[in-house]
Amino acid sequence: MKRSREVEKGSEIEAAIKELSMLIELKPTGDNLDSATAVHIPTRLFLNVCNLVVQVLDKIGPTMAVLRQDIYQNIQRLEMLCDSDPSMYTNLVEILKKEAGEGNARKGASCSKAFVWLARSLDFTVALLERLAADPGQKMEQLVEESYNITLRPWHGWISAAAYKVSLKLLPDNKTFINLLMPKDETYDTLKEHMQTFISLLVPFLEEIHSILTLYGLDRLKST
């Protein structure tokens, strides 16, 4: 699985919907669904969704370079661990549990921290697409800034925040972005439907992820 992975048909959002649908299908069922130990987040499928989100953000252009690079580096970190022992690291929750038990979850370039920032990047993507679907006429600068302020800004230090502030000046207009999101011959109404489906699938999944991060004391991590 590489960052350059192409979507053969349809949009990146459609492909992400398929990946999220697979995640739901693989969700364990039984009497212990409320137990953290029963939560299963397939590593490969989660990273597939993150890779597709990178491709969506690529369409915004160079302004999202900082965020795209962060996402890509965090994907790579988890991929490398998964590749080192695919049978052991099929469940992201097990990775959190392992690093927490070793006392490494909050240290250095841990996979737990990579998971935290990937989840927050997905939060940002949801917020952005929600606003775009609700008001396609709103300026991209406002859409991105509002989405950033409620998802990533609370966890960024002044260096990261300053980098994002500068990037707002390089945004395309919203019409250009919408056209880039749509496959050939697709209408905006279809794109809007896909965005809403993507959001409806991803939001409950993210809620579950954030509950797990809180359980492991990772929900308040900040950057520089």
Side-chain angles (χ1 to χ4, degrees):
M1 178 176 57
K2 303 296 181 184
R3 182 185 175 185
S4 59
R5 177 186 176 192
E6 297 294 333
V7 179
E8 294 181 1
K9 291 184 178 180
S11 68
E12 291 82 5
I13 293 174
E14 289 178 81
I17 288 170
K18 293 177 182 178
E19 298 288 350
L20 286 166
S21 298
M22 291 176 65
L23 280 169
I24 292 170
E25 289 175 6
L26 292 172
K27 187 177 178 66
T29 58
D31 297 331
N32 296 320
L33 286 180
D34 293 330
S35 170
T37 58
V39 175
H40 183 80
I41 302 173
T43 305
R44 291 294 186 187
L45 286 176
F46 175 79
L47 294 178
N48 286 350
V49 173
C50 293
N51 267 307
L52 290 163
V53 165
V54 171
Q55 293 180 45
V56 170
L57 296 176
D58 275 340
K59 297 179 185 300
I60 301 178
T63 186
M64 288 289 100
V66 176
L67 179 57
R68 293 198 320 266
Q69 186 62 22
D70 285 347
I71 296 173
Y72 183 49
Q73 288 176 347
N74 289 323
I75 289 172
Q76 281 191 314
R77 196 182 307 167
L78 285 164
E79 282 183 336
M80 288 177 64
L81 180 66
C82 191
D83 289 343
S84 70
D85 193 337
S87 62
M88 178 178 291
Y89 300 119
T90 58
N91 182 4
L92 278 164
V93 180
E94 292 301 320
I95 295 174
L96 296 184
K97 187 185 302 182
K98 178 179 181 294
E99 290 191 341
E102 295 170 345
N104 296 324
R106 301 172 63 90
K107 296 179 181 178
S110 72
C111 287
S112 296
K113 289 169 69 175
F115 185 33
V116 169
W117 285 104
L118 286 174
R120 290 172 178 170
S121 298
L122 293 177
D123 290 334
F124 169 82
T125 305
V126 166
L128 179 63
L129 293 181
E130 281 179 333
R131 282 159 177 73
L132 186 64
D135 186 3
Q138 191 175 5
K139 291 183 178 179
M140 275 298 291
E141 183 175 346
Q142 186 175 356
L143 289 171
V144 173
E145 187 169 19
E146 288 179 358
S147 303
Y148 172 73
N149 285 341
I150 65 171
T151 57
L152 294 169
R153 179 65 185 90
W155 313 113
H156 277 169
W158 72 269
I159 296 176
S160 298
Y164 279 93
K165 194 70 175 178
V166 171
S167 72
L168 289 174
K169 307 302 181 184
L170 304 172
L171 288 166
D173 61 78
N174 58 339
K175 184 177 180 181
T176 298
F177 181 50
I178 288 171
N179 286 337
L180 288 170
L181 286 178
M182 290 190 297
K184 187 178 179 181
D185 300 326
E186 183 174 278
T187 66
Y188 172 72
D189 287 341
T190 302
L191 173 64
K192 181 177 179 179
E193 181 181 341
H194 289 155
M195 288 193 293
Q196 290 171 332
T197 300
F198 172 73
I199 292 164
S200 68
L201 292 172
L202 186 53
V203 167
F205 180 51
L206 282 170
E207 288 174 351
E208 184 174 52
I209 286 174
H210 285 298
S211 294
I212 293 297
L213 294 177
T214 299
L215 179 67
Y216 284 93
L218 297 167
D219 57 313
R220 310 298 293 180
L221 283 175
K222 292 190 175 185
S223 68
T224 55

